[in-house]
């Protein structure tokens, strides 16, 4: 009897189920931090997986270190960039420029675009803190379209938060699924931009259907905006955002071009350019250059001393450190799932079919990510856990019929939907926008569901039409 129980407990699918239940249970029931939940699940999965007993805990730490080595520097630098953009006024300059270019009649599109751009290097809660006051200021001038303004901010910010590195969720999805970072950025933008157009239309429809006024804050005064002459120029404000995207994408493009070129007797121009781009387009160096520009801008704009700059970057690193722990814990969890032998079990059930089984896996990834989001609230944890599970299946592109980058976008789509009272983003939107819980469900939650279905639909079409294999 005991032997049969042990055999059952060590079967790969049972191990997978126990791992997922552990993550969700520790977060949802015991209210533990996501890092503790993920690392506990990783240890449990490792203990139940094959291998020498003496190595089962040690290999969790090794996998954690490997994940931290892959994404730790990027996340830390992204945190510094985001903090410096906020404190220097560069983020404010980007938003005001969008509003100036598009005009007050297109303020919704301007706020959507600003959220879309800023959420690449800046954490999503910070984007809300920056943009919601601008939405409220616009309403005070126009006395209409408040729902349009706040939902546009939400839609733009959530799209890049779930699809475009170096935001932690898509960054670790790319790492788990073996997707080149530049390709993740390019495909994330290719799917995110048309999704943004559809999302903006949905914002307009909700604005016409819902009559929600702007209400005053009760606890504190709203901050007074800075004058334009106190903000940095637009080109320097945009550089920390666009530089890493351009450099990382350049690396991907030149590498692909060099690989496609016929090998000659000696080095070609394409290969030389690819070698150079592989250095400057490395995510760690690209983000370091952007962080340096952002820090210099902050010092020049606000006249900080080196001591004050050090304090600012330390504050940013403290918030980034929590994200590094969570993402690295997710990486360890994924590595232990792979050791459990889930790949062979999945192949036995699903076979090695072509595109149809690949499309089914896209839908499975979406559904699991959505379930994880509803259960525990965090989109980032949903992306990390689901991508770790899918990566553990070890399915090759030849079996999928398309590139694994589409698995990442499908999982990202699933992580958007089902936002309710256990999601911190739900409460940030509700409190910053001064809305009731029911109004937040009708705006924030509905907007995210619309974007989720849109991104999934575009992913399915892209995987069929442009498989990239």
């Amino acid at each position: 009897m005991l032997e049969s129980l042990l055999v059952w407990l060590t079967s790969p699918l049972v191990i997978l189920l126990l791992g997922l239940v552990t993550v969700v249970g520790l977060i949802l029931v015991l209210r533990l931090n996501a890092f503790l939940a993920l690392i506990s699940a990783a240890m449990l999965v490792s203990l139940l997986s094959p291998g020498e007993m003496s190595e089962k805990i040690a290999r969790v730490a090794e996998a954690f270190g490997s994940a931290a080595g892959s994404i730790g520097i990027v996340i830390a630098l992204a945190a510094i960039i985001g903090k410096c953009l906020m404190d220097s006024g560069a983020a404010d300059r980007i938003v005001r420029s969008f509003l100036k270019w598009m005009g007050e009649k297109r303020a919704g599109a301007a706020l959507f675009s600003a959220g879309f751009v800023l959420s690449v290097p800046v954490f999503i809660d910070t984007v809300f803190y920056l943009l919601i006051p601008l939405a409220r200021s616009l309403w005070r001038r126009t006395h209409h379209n408040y729902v349009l303004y706040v939902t546009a901010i939400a839609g733009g910010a959530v799209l890049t938060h779930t699809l475009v590195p170096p935001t932690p969720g898509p960054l670790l999805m790319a790492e788990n699924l073996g997707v080149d970072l530049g390709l993740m950025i390019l495909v994330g933008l290719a799917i995110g931009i048309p999704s943004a157009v559809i999302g903006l239309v949905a914002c307009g429809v909700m604005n016409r259907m819902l009559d929600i006024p702007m209400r005053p804050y009760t606890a504190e005064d709203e901050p007074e905006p800075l004058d334009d002459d106190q903000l940095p120029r637009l080109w320097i404000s945009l550089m920390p955002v666009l530089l890493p995207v351009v450099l990382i994408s350049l690396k991907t493009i030149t590498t692909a071009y060099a690989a496609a070129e016929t090998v000659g007797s000696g080095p070609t121009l394409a290969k030389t350019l690819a070698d150079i781009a592989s250095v400057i387009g490395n995510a760690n160096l690209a983000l370091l250059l952007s962080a340096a520009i952002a820090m210099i801008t902050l010092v020049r704009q606000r006249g900080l001393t080196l001591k004050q700059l050090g304090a600012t970057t330390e504050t940013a690193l403290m918030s980034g450190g929590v994200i590094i722990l969570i993402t690295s814990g997710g990486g360890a969890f994924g590595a232990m799932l792979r050791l459990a032998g889930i790949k062979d079990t999945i192949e036995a059930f699903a076979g090695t079919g072509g595109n149809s089984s690949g499309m089914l896996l896209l839908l499975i990834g979406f559904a699991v990510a959505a379930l994880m989001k509803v259960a525990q609230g965090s989109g980032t944890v949903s992306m990390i856990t689901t991508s770790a599970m899918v990566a553990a299946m070890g399915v090759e592109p030849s079996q999928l019929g398309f590139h694994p980058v589409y698995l990442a976008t499908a999982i990202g789509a699933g992580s958007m939907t089902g936002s309710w009272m256990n999601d911190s983003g739900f409460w940030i939107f509700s409190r910053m926008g001064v809305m009731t819980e029911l109004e937040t469900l009708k705006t924030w939650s509905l907007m995210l569901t619309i974007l989720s279905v849109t991104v999934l639909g575009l992913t399915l079409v892209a995987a069929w039409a442009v498989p990239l294999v």
Side-chain angles (χ1 to χ4, degrees), residues 37-375:
L38 287 165
I39 210 68
S40 298
M43 290 185 179
L44 174 63
V45 169
S46 183
L47 288 170
L48 295 174
S49 300
E52 294 292 330
M53 184 60 68
S54 59
E55 298 177 358
K56 289 191 173 185
I57 300 301
R59 65 191 183 187
V60 175
E62 291 172 3
F64 176 88
S66 177
S70 299
I71 49 84
I73 295 174
V74 173
I75 293 176
L77 292 173
I80 292 173
I81 293 168
K83 175 69 172 170
C84 291
L85 285 176
M86 290 289 295
D87 290 1
S88 67
D92 202 354
R93 169 64 73 189
I94 292 170
V95 176
R96 293 190 194 186
S97 297
F98 276 126
L99 289 170
K100 183 178 179 181
W101 292 339
M102 296 183 178
E104 198 168 274
K105 291 183 178 180
R106 298 185 182 88
L111 289 171
F112 204 110
S113 302
F116 191 91
V117 171
L118 289 175
S119 198
V120 174
V122 179
F123 297 148
I124 191 168
D125 54 345
T126 307
V127 174
F128 281 123
Y129 293 136
L130 170 70
L131 296 185
I132 289 291
L134 291 173
R136 295 172 66 82
S137 177
L138 277 168
W139 187 90
R140 281 194 293 269
R141 291 210 302 265
T142 63
H143 291 281
H144 58 78
N145 293 336
Y146 184 62
V147 171
L148 171 64
Y149 298 152
V150 294
T151 54
I153 293 168
V158 167
L159 275 173
T160 44
H161 176 75
T162 54
L163 296 176
V164 183
T167 309
L171 181 68
L172 198 69
M173 282 198 297
E175 177 69 23
N176 283 342
L177 297 169
V179 176
D180 177 79
L181 204 57
L183 183 63
M184 185 72 208
I185 291 174
L186 292 173
V187 173
L189 289 173
I191 290 176
I193 290 172
S195 298
V197 175
I198 295 172
L200 187 58
V201 172
C203 291
V205 173
M206 283 191 289
N207 185 62
R208 289 191 291 272
M209 293 178 64
L210 300 172
D211 183 20
I212 301 175
M214 188 193 85
R215 304 180 182 103
Y217 290 128
T218 56
E220 56 188 48
D221 295 331
E222 298 187 35
E224 290 295 326
L226 295 172
D227 294 333
D228 276 358
D229 58 7
Q230 294 179 278
L231 304 178
R233 294 179 181 271
L234 178 62
W235 69 270
I236 194 67
S237 300
L238 279 170
M239 191 173 290
V241 180
L242 298 181
L243 182 64
V245 173
V246 171
L247 292 179
I248 294 169
S249 300
L250 182 66
K251 174 190 172 185
T252 300
I253 294 168
T254 56
T255 301
Y257 182 71
E261 194 175 71
T262 303
V263 178
S265 57
T268 64
L269 177 60
K271 294 186 185 301
T272 302
L273 291 175
D275 289 339
I276 296 172
S278 66
V279 176
I280 62 174
N282 179 281
N284 295 315
L285 180 58
L287 268 292
L288 180 62
L289 293 174
S290 292
I293 294 170
M295 288 189 290
I296 291 170
T297 302
L298 175 60
V299 169
R300 293 184 61 183
Q301 202 65 33
R302 297 287 169 258
L304 299 188
T305 65
L306 293 179
K307 184 177 180 180
Q308 290 171 323
L309 178 63
T312 298
T313 55
E314 185 174 338
T315 300
L317 289 172
M318 287 174 67
S319 65
V322 175
I323 303 298
I324 293 170
L325 287 173
I326 293 172
T327 51
S328 300
F333 178 55
M336 295 309 103
L337 286 175
R338 286 190 287 275
L339 291 176
I342 292 171
K343 174 184 177 182
D344 296 335
T345 304
I346 295 296
E347 286 182 351
F349 273 98
T352 56
N355 196 266
S356 60
S357 63
M359 291 295 177
L360 178 60
L361 192 56
L362 286 180
L363 295 175
I364 291 172
F366 173 86
V368 172
L371 180 62
M372 287 289 297
K373 175 61 178 288
V374 172

